């Protein structure tokens, strides 16, 4: 495909984030606002507006990133009211829901201001059935709300008509395929390999007839075409192992056989999925084995632009597309505990598994002055003006505490991260999502050809080089982005120790229910366990949990 239409394509890759999906949602809110403003000004006939176009043909991700990708696909055909500010007054409007914005409503409002109470509720444990340590029933309600479509059918030129959206999944049963070895063994020399990395792939369409035999499931929210499958996939990609319950996804096996991402199973190993019945999988969080599906987004862009040469798509003068990754938890160097004690080894092992599942964003992109054009990264950065400190990564976001679960403790944490995401996106688009001022790339040469005054679109990077914005920004640059003042009268939210302690009885109750329903016990065993829980066990575990929470909040400076 050529670029005679002067279109530059941006593929969105959203990493796993748990409650820090609030940050990713804020990024998306501002990104859409910026593109909307550009389209509006171009339509007005303003001669000083760049004429090239940006189109988003694909969005995909893991866990919270996969969920946000589905929310994005659901929202783009209806009105999206950006949440630019919130107010705190005597009516506590800081916490007022924003139902007109699916990103905010899904990630900040959730279903309650007090989400810790929701997670600790024991109504999900019935008849001896235990599916997760925490109550995950609330996710179903949010998913139903997110995929609900209005009667609007807004056409946005910066979104591909057949937008592709996908989520990563961890298929617990796995997909078997064989590799044949030469061997002198008398037994079968076939070596069975099980792959657990799965994908649920969708494409916006008008009808089932739009299926192109490529594995991308037709999806239409207004007509409710395959919305049940996309809802299940969105929930499944966020099913954090053990903490939140595993989920099932049922698809027609033809979608698996037709998807070229599974060619190594279906074609190379000649083991297609049986089509005699629907293909049902039990899944946990997609980020467990594929947290940042960067290469999958890149492959789709390559299919569109036909730029399969690294020299082309990594060159600012040649590239026709790029991957924009949004990652609330970018890779960072951490101090390693070399102790061989079991508790250290367990922690290090889990850390190794998580690291191995990720694309190391530090090896892909330095958004400040990178010479690579094929990938960009938006990640958390905030400034502590009191201590004159620049803070990056998980400590820049309030939801980064408790391994990403911190946002469920306080709505103010989610509000902060949403607005940080908006602010970081604005600065990124203004200062870093750029090309050299004197680029020879035809898309931007033509796009800026009739702009007499390029000054508003020129920025200077850290090397002193002048650059042109890929997506022009029309709002004025300010030294400090908008951030509400929280209950503590600061721009950084905190909670009090006694607030955490107030949940002790609920934590104890949940622990008792979990222990008593974890396995099948005799009547005597159950009585003894119940007594043990009441007298010793749940109290000790609750104290340990509260100590861990307190320590995490102290580390992230979230404790007042």
């Amino acid at each position: 495909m050529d670029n005679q239409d002067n279109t530059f394509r941006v593929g969105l890759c959203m990493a796993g984030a748990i409650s820090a999906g609030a940050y990713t949602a804020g990024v998306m809110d501002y990104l859409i606002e910026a593109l909307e403003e550009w389209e509006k000004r171009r339509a007005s006939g303003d001669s000083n507006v760049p004429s090239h176009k940006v189109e988003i043909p694909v969005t995909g991700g893991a866990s919270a990133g996969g969920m946000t990708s589905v929310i994005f696909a659901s929202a783009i055909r209806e009105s999206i009211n950006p949440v630019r500010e919130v107010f705190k007054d005597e009516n506590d409007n800081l916490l007022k829901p924003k139902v007109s914005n699916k990103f905010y409503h899904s990630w900040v409002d959730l279903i309650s201001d007090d989400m810790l109470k929701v997670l600790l509720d024991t109504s999900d444990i019935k008849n001896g059935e235990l599916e997760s340590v925490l109550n995950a029933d609330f996710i179903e309600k949010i998913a139903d709300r997110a995929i609900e479509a209005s009667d609007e059918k807004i056409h946005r030129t910066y979104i591909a008509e057949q937008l592709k959206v996908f989520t990563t999944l961890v298929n617990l049963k796995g997909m078997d395929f064989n590799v044949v070895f030469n061997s002198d063994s008398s037994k079968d020399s076939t070596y069975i390999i099980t792959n657990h990395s799965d994908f649920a792939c969708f494409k916006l369409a008008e009808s089932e007839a739009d299926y192109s035999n490529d594995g991308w499931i037709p999806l239409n929210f207004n007509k409710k075409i395959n919305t049940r499958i996309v809802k299940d996939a969105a929930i499944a990609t966020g099913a954090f192992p053990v903490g939140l319950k595993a989920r099932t996804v049922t698809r027609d096996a033809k979608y698996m056989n037709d998807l070229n991402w599974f060619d190594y199973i279906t074609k190379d190993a000649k083991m297609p999925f049986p089509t005699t019945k629907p293909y049902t999988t039990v899944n946990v969080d997609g980020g467990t084995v594929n947290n940042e599906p960067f290469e999958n987004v890149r492959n789709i862009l390559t299919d569109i632009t036909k730029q399969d040469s690294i020299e082309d798509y990594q060159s600012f003068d040649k590239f026709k597309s790029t991957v924009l990754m949004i990652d609330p938890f970018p890779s960072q160097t951490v101090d390693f505990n070399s102790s061989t004690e079991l508790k250290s080894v367990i922690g290090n092992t889990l850390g190794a598994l998580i690291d191995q599942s990720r694309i190391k964003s530090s090896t892909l992109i330095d958004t400040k002055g990178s010479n690579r054009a094929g990938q960009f990264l938006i990640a958390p950065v905030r400034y502590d003006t009191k201590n004159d400190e620049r803070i990056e990564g998980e400590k820049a976001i309030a939801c980064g505490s408790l391994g990403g679960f911190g946002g469920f403790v306080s709505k103010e944490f989610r509000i902060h991260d949403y607005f940080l995401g908006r602010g970081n996106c604005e600065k990124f688009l203004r200062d870093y999502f750029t090309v050299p001022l004197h680029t020879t790339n035809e898309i931007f040469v033509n796009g800026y050809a009739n702009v007499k005054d390029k000054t508003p679109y020129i920025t200077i990077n850290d090397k002193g080089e002048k650059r042109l914005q890929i997506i022009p920004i029309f709002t004025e640059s300010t030294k400090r982005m908008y951030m509400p003042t929280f209950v503590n009268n600061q721009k950084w939210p905190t909670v009090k120790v006694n607030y955490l302690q107030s949940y002790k009885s609920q934590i104890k109750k949940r622990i008792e229910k979990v222990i008593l329903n974890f396995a099948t016990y005799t009547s005597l065993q159950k009585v003894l366990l119940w007594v043990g829980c009441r007298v010793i066990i749940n109290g000790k575990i609750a104290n340990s949990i509260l100590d861990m929470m307190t320590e995490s909040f102290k580390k992230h400076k979230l404790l007042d």
Side-chain angles (χ1 to χ4, degrees), residues 259-270:
L259 187 66
N260 61 6
W261 293 349
F262 293 126
D263 278 357
Y264 64 96
I265 298 175
T266 58
K267 294 181 174 58
D268 298 345
K270 295 181 173 59

PDB file of all heavy atoms in Angstrom, residues 259-270:
ATOM      1  N   LEU A 259      -5.880 -17.576  11.673  1.00  0.00           N
ATOM      2  CA  LEU A 259      -4.996 -16.515  12.148  1.00  0.00           C
ATOM      3  C   LEU A 259      -3.534 -16.881  11.904  1.00  0.00           C
ATOM      4  O   LEU A 259      -3.054 -17.911  12.385  1.00  0.00           O
ATOM      5  CB  LEU A 259      -5.224 -16.271  13.648  1.00  0.00           C
ATOM      6  CG  LEU A 259      -4.490 -15.073  14.258  1.00  0.00           C
ATOM      7  CD1 LEU A 259      -5.016 -13.760  13.687  1.00  0.00           C
ATOM      8  CD2 LEU A 259      -4.633 -15.072  15.785  1.00  0.00           C
ATOM      9  N   ASN A 260      -2.822 -16.034  11.172  1.00  0.00           N
ATOM     10  CA  ASN A 260      -1.431 -16.382  10.820  1.00  0.00           C
ATOM     11  C   ASN A 260      -0.499 -16.383  12.028  1.00  0.00           C
ATOM     12  O   ASN A 260       0.596 -16.939  11.959  1.00  0.00           O
ATOM     13  CB  ASN A 260      -0.892 -15.468   9.717  1.00  0.00           C
ATOM     14  CG  ASN A 260      -0.860 -13.995  10.118  1.00  0.00           C
ATOM     15  OD1 ASN A 260      -1.130 -13.638  11.266  1.00  0.00           O
ATOM     16  ND2 ASN A 260      -0.567 -13.135   9.156  1.00  0.00           N
ATOM     17  N   TRP A 261      -0.907 -15.824  13.150  1.00  0.00           N
ATOM     18  CA  TRP A 261      -0.079 -15.872  14.356  1.00  0.00           C
ATOM     19  C   TRP A 261       0.016 -17.298  14.905  1.00  0.00           C
ATOM     20  O   TRP A 261       0.879 -17.591  15.721  1.00  0.00           O
ATOM     21  CB  TRP A 261      -0.633 -14.936  15.431  1.00  0.00           C
ATOM     22  CG  TRP A 261      -0.518 -13.481  15.055  1.00  0.00           C
ATOM     23  CD1 TRP A 261       0.190 -12.961  14.001  1.00  0.00           C
ATOM     24  CD2 TRP A 261      -1.122 -12.371  15.708  1.00  0.00           C
ATOM     25  NE1 TRP A 261       0.058 -11.603  13.961  1.00  0.00           N
ATOM     26  CE2 TRP A 261      -0.751 -11.205  15.004  1.00  0.00           C
ATOM     27  CE3 TRP A 261      -1.949 -12.239  16.817  1.00  0.00           C
ATOM     28  CZ2 TRP A 261      -1.178  -9.927  15.372  1.00  0.00           C
ATOM     29  CZ3 TRP A 261      -2.376 -10.970  17.187  1.00  0.00           C
ATOM     30  CH2 TRP A 261      -1.986  -9.831  16.480  1.00  0.00           C
ATOM     31  N   PHE A 262      -0.892 -18.171  14.462  1.00  0.00           N
ATOM     32  CA  PHE A 262      -0.852 -19.571  14.885  1.00  0.00           C
ATOM     33  C   PHE A 262      -0.386 -20.496  13.769  1.00  0.00           C
ATOM     34  O   PHE A 262      -0.544 -21.720  13.876  1.00  0.00           O
ATOM     35  CB  PHE A 262      -2.235 -20.019  15.375  1.00  0.00           C
ATOM     36  CG  PHE A 262      -2.691 -19.341  16.634  1.00  0.00           C
ATOM     37  CD1 PHE A 262      -3.913 -18.692  16.690  1.00  0.00           C
ATOM     38  CD2 PHE A 262      -1.901 -19.352  17.767  1.00  0.00           C
ATOM     39  CE1 PHE A 262      -4.342 -18.060  17.850  1.00  0.00           C
ATOM     40  CE2 PHE A 262      -2.316 -18.721  18.936  1.00  0.00           C
ATOM     41  CZ  PHE A 262      -3.535 -18.075  18.973  1.00  0.00           C
ATOM     42  N   ASP A 263       0.205 -19.948  12.727  1.00  0.00           N
ATOM     43  CA  ASP A 263       0.650 -20.779  11.598  1.00  0.00           C
ATOM     44  C   ASP A 263       1.650 -21.853  12.030  1.00  0.00           C
ATOM     45  O   ASP A 263       1.675 -22.950  11.463  1.00  0.00           O
ATOM     46  CB  ASP A 263       1.294 -19.909  10.506  1.00  0.00           C
ATOM     47  CG  ASP A 263       0.246 -19.267   9.606  1.00  0.00           C
ATOM     48  OD1 ASP A 263      -0.951 -19.549   9.797  1.00  0.00           O
ATOM     49  OD2 ASP A 263       0.623 -18.462   8.731  1.00  0.00           O
ATOM     50  N   TYR A 264       2.462 -21.547  13.037  1.00  0.00           N
ATOM     51  CA  TYR A 264       3.472 -22.521  13.475  1.00  0.00           C
ATOM     52  C   TYR A 264       2.821 -23.765  14.061  1.00  0.00           C
ATOM     53  O   TYR A 264       3.435 -24.839  14.122  1.00  0.00           O
ATOM     54  CB  TYR A 264       4.436 -21.884  14.484  1.00  0.00           C
ATOM     55  CG  TYR A 264       3.801 -21.450  15.782  1.00  0.00           C
ATOM     56  CD1 TYR A 264       3.835 -22.266  16.895  1.00  0.00           C
ATOM     57  CD2 TYR A 264       3.175 -20.199  15.902  1.00  0.00           C
ATOM     58  CE1 TYR A 264       3.255 -21.879  18.089  1.00  0.00           C
ATOM     59  CE2 TYR A 264       2.591 -19.800  17.090  1.00  0.00           C
ATOM     60  CZ  TYR A 264       2.638 -20.638  18.180  1.00  0.00           C
ATOM     61  OH  TYR A 264       2.049 -20.240  19.365  1.00  0.00           O
ATOM     62  N   ILE A 265       1.553 -23.634  14.486  1.00  0.00           N
ATOM     63  CA  ILE A 265       0.808 -24.780  14.992  1.00  0.00           C
ATOM     64  C   ILE A 265      -0.044 -25.403  13.890  1.00  0.00           C
ATOM     65  O   ILE A 265       0.043 -26.598  13.604  1.00  0.00           O
ATOM     66  CB  ILE A 265      -0.114 -24.379  16.172  1.00  0.00           C
ATOM     67  CG1 ILE A 265       0.708 -23.849  17.357  1.00  0.00           C
ATOM     68  CG2 ILE A 265      -0.973 -25.561  16.615  1.00  0.00           C
ATOM     69  CD1 ILE A 265      -0.152 -23.318  18.494  1.00  0.00           C
ATOM     70  N   THR A 266      -0.862 -24.571  13.268  1.00  0.00           N
ATOM     71  CA  THR A 266      -1.864 -25.088  12.333  1.00  0.00           C
ATOM     72  C   THR A 266      -1.296 -25.489  10.978  1.00  0.00           C
ATOM     73  O   THR A 266      -1.792 -26.425  10.342  1.00  0.00           O
ATOM     74  CB  THR A 266      -2.967 -24.040  12.123  1.00  0.00           C
ATOM     75  OG1 THR A 266      -2.373 -22.830  11.619  1.00  0.00           O
ATOM     76  CG2 THR A 266      -3.674 -23.738  13.430  1.00  0.00           C
ATOM     77  N   LYS A 267      -0.265 -24.796  10.533  1.00  0.00           N
ATOM     78  CA  LYS A 267       0.289 -25.083   9.206  1.00  0.00           C
ATOM     79  C   LYS A 267       1.651 -25.762   9.283  1.00  0.00           C
ATOM     80  O   LYS A 267       1.860 -26.826   8.713  1.00  0.00           O
ATOM     81  CB  LYS A 267       0.361 -23.796   8.389  1.00  0.00           C
ATOM     82  CG  LYS A 267      -1.022 -23.218   8.066  1.00  0.00           C
ATOM     83  CD  LYS A 267      -0.919 -21.957   7.242  1.00  0.00           C
ATOM     84  CE  LYS A 267      -2.309 -21.477   6.817  1.00  0.00           C
ATOM     85  NZ  LYS A 267      -3.208 -21.210   7.939  1.00  0.00           N
ATOM     86  N   ASP A 268       2.597 -25.163   9.986  1.00  0.00           N
ATOM     87  CA  ASP A 268       3.939 -25.742  10.049  1.00  0.00           C
ATOM     88  C   ASP A 268       3.927 -27.111  10.725  1.00  0.00           C
ATOM     89  O   ASP A 268       4.560 -28.061  10.238  1.00  0.00           O
ATOM     90  CB  ASP A 268       4.895 -24.802  10.802  1.00  0.00           C
ATOM     91  CG  ASP A 268       5.052 -23.461  10.094  1.00  0.00           C
ATOM     92  OD1 ASP A 268       4.665 -23.369   8.913  1.00  0.00           O
ATOM     93  OD2 ASP A 268       5.553 -22.502  10.720  1.00  0.00           O
ATOM     94  N   ALA A 269       3.244 -27.192  11.864  1.00  0.00           N
ATOM     95  CA  ALA A 269       3.172 -28.469  12.576  1.00  0.00           C
ATOM     96  C   ALA A 269       1.995 -29.320  12.114  1.00  0.00           C
ATOM     97  O   ALA A 269       1.825 -30.447  12.590  1.00  0.00           O
ATOM     98  CB  ALA A 269       3.076 -28.230  14.080  1.00  0.00           C
ATOM     99  N   LYS A 270       1.178 -28.757  11.216  1.00  0.00           N
ATOM    100  CA  LYS A 270       0.021 -29.475  10.651  1.00  0.00           C
ATOM    101  C   LYS A 270      -0.894 -30.028  11.745  1.00  0.00           C
ATOM    102  O   LYS A 270      -1.316 -31.188  11.717  1.00  0.00           O
ATOM    103  CB  LYS A 270       0.494 -30.595   9.729  1.00  0.00           C
ATOM    104  CG  LYS A 270       1.235 -30.106   8.495  1.00  0.00           C
ATOM    105  CD  LYS A 270       1.659 -31.258   7.601  1.00  0.00           C
ATOM    106  CE  LYS A 270       2.254 -30.758   6.286  1.00  0.00           C
ATOM    107  NZ  LYS A 270       3.439 -29.900   6.468  1.00  0.00           N
TER     108      LYS A 270
END
